[in-house]
Amino acid sequence: MNNIFKKEVQQGLDSTPKKLPSKYFYDKIGDALFVKIMNSPEYYLTRCEFDIFKNKTHELINSFDIQKDSYFELIELGAGDGLKTKELLKVLVNENYNFDYFPIDISSNALSLLKENLKSEIPKLSIKTLQGDYFKVLDTLKTSKNPKIILFLGSNIGNMNDELASKFIYNLGDNLNSGDKLLLGVDLIKSEEIVGPAYNDSQGITAKFNMNLLDRINKELEANFNINQFKHHPEYNEEEGIAKSFIMSTADQSVEIKAIGKKYHFKKGEKIHTEISRKYNDDLIKKIISKTDFSLKTKILDSKAYFADYVLNRN
């Protein structure tokens, strides 16, 4: 049994209101469901950032202030399948830029699959996979004085509240040198009619993804959540710019979690908060980086202006 999982589930369900950490969406089933979400017609985020990497590649490269004859390190946090990054890597390799690519991921399996795939697609690429926590791995690279470009894509920063996001970016800066760059991919604030379906697709994949968290607790912590008496409940506040996911109880009920040794009571309509997905604009980005060592260099938009890759400069 994963004791950290048990501890964090207990802490979350003991809270008022109840919550569960979104990182536990991602087991084998959750990973597969998220790939389906990314390919669903409603989930525009991946396609929009891919549009930037595919069609504005040279604009990205120019914003990095790199020279072909000067070595740099391209470091990606949570590289996943590398779909978008491949578009950038192909151009950098084909145009003979002098760099190593360092994908960092907590999953050694994801890294080995990525390395195998990149070796096949871009044979000349120099790739050095690094497995572990972002900051622990970055700390090992800190002593290198080589110029660094950090990629943090997919609006992953949006899973943090603004205070945590600011602290995260500050900590990144602490591992970098003056002149290093951070490419931060974020989803922009848009209307409910665009954002809402991205978190509540017509095929019900997002609902399964959210509910898989309860399945995990049932399997791994010997719980008896009746999945038929809970449902996926998304909310989006356009003015606030935050999409939230909840699991809502559809009945008054009790759930026993044997591994924790407790029963939890749910009222009809009671919600368990599972995830936030923050949307941004220029003012919010400036506010978040105001207490960090970064300044805003430029912003690159997709063709629909739904998504932005902000390039930040380490002062």
Side-chain angles (χ1 to χ4, degrees):
M1 184 200 301
N2 185 332
N3 285 322
I4 298 172
F5 180 45
K6 180 177 81 170
K7 179 185 173 185
E8 293 191 357
V9 166
Q10 181 171 355
Q11 285 174 341
L13 294 179
D14 283 345
S15 301
T16 305
K18 293 181 177 71
K19 58 186 178 182
L20 287 168
S22 59
K23 64 183 176 183
Y24 293 118
F25 285 146
Y26 300 96
D27 61 355
K28 194 173 181 180
I29 294 169
D31 288 347
L33 286 169
F34 189 65
V35 169
K36 286 185 179 180
I37 289 169
M38 288 193 296
N39 291 321
S40 70
E42 296 93 340
Y43 196 79
Y44 58 84
L45 286 85
T46 307
R47 290 189 298 276
C48 289
E49 194 167 30
F50 182 82
D51 177 19
I52 295 172
F53 272 70
K54 177 76 175 173
N55 299 311
K56 296 192 174 179
T57 326
H58 284 98
E59 198 174 330
L60 285 172
I61 292 170
N62 291 339
S63 73
F64 297 154
D65 296 332
I66 49 176
Q67 305 301 320
K68 289 186 180 180
D69 55 354
S70 297
Y71 173 79
F72 66 94
E73 295 169 351
L74 184 66
I75 301 164
E76 183 167 9
L77 309 181
D81 64 2
L83 176 72
K84 294 166 282 193
T85 317
K86 281 177 203 170
E87 299 302 316
L88 173 64
L89 294 171
K90 285 173 187 173
V91 174
L92 289 171
V93 168
N94 289 340
E95 297 189 3
N96 297 312
Y97 279 89
N98 182 15
F99 74 104
D100 287 318
Y101 173 53
F102 294 83
I104 301 176
D105 207 287
I106 199 76
S107 166
S108 55
N109 181 54
L111 286 171
S112 59
L113 289 172
L114 176 65
K115 187 171 185 177
E116 190 179 320
N117 182 270
L118 287 172
K119 283 295 177 190
S120 168
E121 287 196 39
I122 318 173
K124 291 182 180 177
L125 175 68
S126 172
I127 176 171
K128 300 181 178 181
T129 58
L130 297 165
Q131 190 263 330
D133 171 83
Y134 297 157
F135 294 113
K136 286 179 182 173
V137 175
L138 282 172
D139 193 51
T140 67
L141 299 171
K142 194 176 180 180
T143 51
S144 155
K145 298 301 178 190
N146 295 315
K148 294 178 180 63
I149 298 162
I150 306 286
L151 307 179
F152 193 47
L153 309 177
S155 207
N156 285 325
I157 194 80
N159 296 138
M160 308 174 197
N161 64 39
D162 293 350
E163 187 182 345
L164 279 176
S166 183
K167 194 176 290 185
F168 181 87
I169 292 171
Y170 176 85
N171 288 338
L172 281 180
D174 203 36
N175 287 279
L176 300 176
N177 298 310
S178 177
D180 289 344
K181 303 289 187 295
L182 169 62
L183 180 65
L184 187 64
V186 304
D187 194 16
L188 300 174
I189 295 174
K190 290 176 293 299
S191 68
E192 160 71 30
E193 63 181 305
I194 297 167
V195 175
Y199 300 94
N200 197 24
D201 62 280
S202 57
Q203 297 173 71
I205 305 164
T206 314
K208 288 178 185 173
F209 179 65
N210 205 15
M211 298 299 288
N212 181 55
L213 194 42
L214 299 189
D215 278 327
R216 275 197 75 178
I217 296 170
N218 279 349
K219 285 183 286 190
E220 297 178 36
L221 301 181
E222 297 177 89
N224 63 348
F225 278 98
N226 181 344
I227 306 301
N228 296 322
Q229 292 189 168
F230 289 88
K231 69 175 184 178
H232 170 57
H233 180 79
E235 296 177 3
Y236 176 61
N237 182 322
E238 188 178 332
E239 193 175 321
E240 187 183 33
I242 299 178
K244 295 178 181 177
S245 288
F246 299 90
I247 295 171
M248 180 187 282
S249 176
T250 59
D252 291 334
Q253 57 186 308
S254 294
V255 175
E256 183 181 7
I257 305 179
K258 287 184 179 177
I260 294 173
K262 285 185 76 170
K263 271 190 177 179
Y264 290 94
H265 304 284
F266 295 87
K267 293 177 182 175
K268 184 178 181 179
E270 185 175 357
K271 297 180 288 189
I272 308 169
H273 184 207
T274 55
E275 186 178 37
I276 69 162
S277 184
R278 177 60 144 142
K279 312 302 169 188
Y280 298 89
N281 56 29
D282 290 356
D283 289 340
L284 280 166
I285 291 294
K286 286 172 185 172
K287 183 181 175 185
I288 284 166
I289 67 171
S290 64
K291 294 179 182 176
T292 73
D293 295 317
F294 287 95
S295 55
L296 178 56
K297 186 174 189 293
T298 191
K299 175 176 75 168
I300 301 171
L301 297 169
D302 69 288
S303 57
K304 292 182 176 179
Y306 282 3
F307 199 95
D309 279 314
Y310 284 91
V311 181
L312 309 180
N313 190 66
R314 172 66 163 84
N315 301 325

